[in-house]
Amino acid sequence: MLRNKKLITVLLSLICLLAGSYAQGTVNLAERYLNQASDAFEDGDINTAYKRINSSMTISMSEDSIIPANTLVVARQIYKQRLLTLKRKYDEPDFIEVKTNLEKFSPVVNTEITKLVRQIEAMAVQAEKDKAAAKQDEFQNALKSSIEEANESSKAAIEELGTKMIEQQEKSNENVNRYIEQNEKNNKQTQHSFRMLFILILIVVIVVLLVILLIVAIVRAAAKANRQQQQQYVEAFKLLAANQSQTNQIMIGGIAGLYSEDGLKLAGASSWSQTALPEPEETPEEKEELRQLAAKCEDLGAQIDQFTGRKNNSKNVSELVFKIATKLGVRQHDAMVYFCASMVYDAGFLDISEEILQAESLTPEQKAELDKHVEKYESHLQFVPRRYWQVFDDAAKYHHENFDGSGRPEGLKGKDIPDIARIIRVADSFNALSSRRTFRGGTDKESALEILEQQSNLYDSEVIAALKDII
């Protein structure tokens, strides 16, 4: 019995000794990987340093879920250099791997690393655009070469046919002369030869006309392809209209209703809808004018989103504004202009320092400068036709006005705030609450709506009610 107790005591001692050795070995292994990473970084071997520091952090987190401070310092230096290398020479798989590891080792992320990630993402987006433009140029060059080759082939065919026609004419003339000289009595055969010659000439003329028609068809096909590319954005609008209602078509034309052609509000007009009378039909010129305006607004909206780091903000807010306006009874073409203005209401941000836009906290002076974006939009909206200017001006200038008069820049109150500005105020706040941001979770749509309803002093209750019906 005593011998068994001694044996058990010895076994327990050995187990404790082995456990302590394993724990110490794991810590030493993490430190060895850290030292190897530091040595590789000093030697300029960023790939090796990157692999070793990841191994060190993985071991540290598996032990106590905490990355030591000295490891974080080395890791941030290595990840910064890794991102700078990707910024100089972009590689998509490597970039995705770095982003995945940053999510895994989130304590490594700081302001500098976040800024580098955003810059590389912006470069990747621009590279895709450049690639698309290069493909378009390649297609146009190929089409041009095809047309030139067709022209050369047609020219050669016409010259060949002309030569054959001349040769046949000369041969026929020789035959006629010979027939006349040899036998003047053979008039019937001579007349037959002339008829054959006429048919041949007619065939040659028909062939020439067919070749010319072929050339014209090729040129028209090229022009049609170009027109189809220009209609792509128009088709996008049709899809948007289809999502609203199977029978609802977006009519784009000159503003009639809330705003007259000189840009002023009509006296006695209803706040949202105008009348049951049918909308006036737009001319083709007016339709084309609004199509071009929408395309320009889309391009400018994309620039604003890229500059401010808010992905798809222009698209999300403008679509929401269109749906709310339609729900409130705004005429279709007025709602369409609201849609265009809502893509560029934050154009003033383009004149704000990028340092202020990316700052995690703002000084009072920086906040005051940021607030001035509602005053700096005019130079970016010069492409807007005069008939639509008042809508765009109201959207850009007054979208931070509050319903109780506590907003900026002029402290307008209630119905004194333009309709477009009241709708954007709700749509913008709802989108900001319900969207997801980098390194920060968003709020679900129902919770976002509850927050807006709780702040009824800031928002128009009619607009919030319309929003509630469409989400």
Side-chain angles (χ1 to χ4, degrees):
M1 185 70 176
L2 182 61
R3 181 179 300 174
N4 291 337
K5 288 184 178 180
K6 289 182 179 181
L7 180 60
I8 292 172
T9 302
V10 171
L11 289 175
L12 289 175
S13 299
L14 288 174
I15 291 172
C16 292
L17 181 60
L18 290 173
S21 299
Y22 174 78
Q24 183 63 33
T26 303
V27 173
N28 291 338
L29 180 60
E31 292 179 352
R32 280 205 307 275
Y33 277 129
L34 175 63
N35 292 333
Q36 291 174 5
S38 299
D39 293 339
F41 181 74
E42 291 177 359
D43 294 336
D45 188 355
I46 303 303
N47 289 334
T48 300
Y50 174 76
K51 293 177 181 178
R52 295 296 182 268
I53 198 64
N54 286 339
S55 299
S56 178
M57 290 191 291
T58 300
I59 294 172
S60 297
M61 291 184 70
S62 67
E63 286 296 313
D64 51 13
S65 302
I66 297 175
I67 301 175
N70 61 333
T71 304
L72 283 176
V73 170
V74 176
R76 285 168 179 162
Q77 292 177 344
I78 293 173
Y79 268 82
K80 175 184 175 182
Q81 192 60 43
R82 179 77 167 178
L83 288 169
L84 288 172
T85 302
L86 287 171
K87 184 178 179 182
R88 289 190 298 269
K89 186 176 181 181
Y90 179 73
D91 184 272
E92 184 177 3
D94 287 350
F95 183 55
I96 293 174
E97 178 189 355
V98 171
K99 289 177 66 178
T100 302
N101 285 332
L102 285 174
E103 292 178 358
K104 179 180 178 181
F105 308 120
S106 58
V108 177
V109 178
N110 58 13
T111 302
E112 190 172 16
I113 289 176
T114 300
K115 182 177 180 181
L116 284 171
V117 170
R118 289 178 178 175
Q119 289 175 349
I120 295 172
E121 289 175 340
M123 288 171 57
V125 171
Q126 185 60 43
E128 288 297 324
K129 289 184 177 180
D130 294 341
K131 185 177 180 181
K135 288 184 177 179
Q136 179 65 21
D137 292 340
E138 182 180 357
F139 170 77
Q140 292 179 350
N141 291 333
L143 182 60
K144 182 179 178 181
S145 298
S146 298
I147 293 174
E148 290 175 352
E149 290 175 2
N151 289 337
E152 290 295 330
S153 299
S154 300
K155 182 179 178 181
I158 292 172
E159 290 177 352
E160 182 178 358
L161 287 172
T163 301
K164 289 183 177 179
M165 184 181 69
I166 293 172
E167 292 175 354
Q168 188 65 37
Q169 179 66 40
E170 292 176 351
K171 183 178 180 180
S172 298
N173 290 337
E174 291 175 358
N175 290 334
V176 171
N177 292 331
R178 185 165 54 252
Y179 291 152
I180 293 174
E181 292 174 356
Q182 291 179 357
N183 191 357
E184 294 180 351
K185 296 180 180 180
N186 198 3
N187 291 331
K188 290 182 180 181
Q189 186 176 359
T190 302
Q191 290 174 358
H192 177 72
S193 297
F194 274 112
R195 284 196 300 270
M196 294 297 295
L197 177 61
F198 174 79
I199 293 173
L200 179 61
I201 295 173
L202 182 60
I203 292 173
V204 171
V205 171
I206 292 174
V207 171
V208 172
L209 290 176
L210 289 175
V211 171
I212 294 174
L213 289 175
L214 178 61
I215 295 173
V216 172
I218 292 173
V219 173
R220 287 184 176 179
K224 182 179 179 181
N226 188 43
R227 286 195 300 271
Q228 288 176 345
Q229 292 172 355
Q230 295 175 352
Q231 292 297 323
Q232 287 178 352
Y233 194 73
V234 176
E235 294 300 324
F237 282 148
K238 290 180 180 179
L239 289 175
L240 177 61
N243 290 333
Q244 289 300 307
S245 171
Q246 291 181 351
T247 59
N248 182 22
Q249 294 183 345
I250 297 176
M251 300 178 64
I252 49 179
I255 287 296
L258 296 181
Y259 294 90
S260 62
E261 290 191 357
D262 59 2
L264 301 177
K265 228 175 192 182
L266 297 179
S270 171
S271 176
W272 301 113
S273 60
Q274 297 303 305
T275 176
L277 294 176
E279 300 183 57
E281 179 147 350
E282 300 83 19
T283 65
E285 292 76 13
E286 290 172 332
K287 291 181 180 180
E288 180 60 26
E289 180 183 52
L290 194 52
R291 288 193 188 98
Q292 293 179 6
L293 174 63
K296 293 177 181 177
C297 288
E298 182 193 32
D299 291 340
L300 181 57
Q303 294 178 27
I304 296 170
D305 289 349
Q306 182 176 353
F307 189 75
T308 58
R310 300 177 300 177
K311 185 177 181 181
N312 292 330
N313 181 74
S314 169
K315 174 180 177 293
N316 294 337
V317 173
S318 59
E319 289 183 357
L320 199 55
V321 166
F322 177 83
K323 294 177 182 178
I324 293 173
T326 302
K327 184 67 179 177
L328 289 169
V330 176
R331 285 180 171 180
Q332 288 296 313
H333 48 270
D334 293 345
M336 191 63 220
V337 176
Y338 283 13
F339 173 79
C340 293
S342 301
M343 286 190 280
V344 296
Y345 70 97
D346 267 340
F349 275 134
L350 296 175
D351 286 339
I352 302 299
S353 168
E354 186 175 357
E355 178 183 356
I356 294 178
L357 291 174
Q358 296 181 357
E360 295 183 356
S361 60
L362 298 175
T363 65
E365 293 78 9
Q366 289 176 324
K367 189 177 185 302
E369 179 64 23
L370 185 66
D371 290 342
K372 290 181 181 179
H373 76 276
V374 297
E375 304 171 1
K376 298 184 176 184
Y377 56 88
E378 291 190 14
S379 62
H380 301 286
L381 302 181
Q382 294 301 311
F383 61 87
V384 177
R386 182 174 179 271
R387 72 171 71 196
Y388 309 135
W389 175 255
Q390 189 64 54
V391 179
F392 282 76
D393 186 64
D394 288 344
K397 190 173 184 179
Y398 299 118
H399 65 270
H400 282 299
E401 297 285 357
N402 293 328
F403 205 69
D404 63 357
S406 62
R408 60 183 188 275
E410 298 186 7
L412 298 181
K413 185 176 181 180
K415 302 298 183 179
D416 291 337
I417 304 172
D419 292 349
I420 178 65
R422 279 183 280 143
I423 297 177
I424 290 178
R425 185 76 173 95
V426 171
D428 184 33
S429 298
F430 178 80
N431 183 62
L433 288 170
S434 59
S435 298
R436 293 205 170 268
R437 298 284 186 261
T438 304
F439 303 116
R440 180 172 67 83
T443 303
D444 62 84
K445 294 182 178 181
E446 289 75 14
S447 300
L449 185 60
E450 289 179 5
I451 293 173
L452 296 182
E453 290 178 327
Q454 291 169 3
Q455 298 176 329
S456 58
N457 61 310
L458 303 181
Y459 308 103
D460 187 334
S461 59
E462 290 183 67
V463 180
I464 292 179
L467 172 64
K468 189 173 183 180
D469 287 341
I470 65 176
I471 64 171

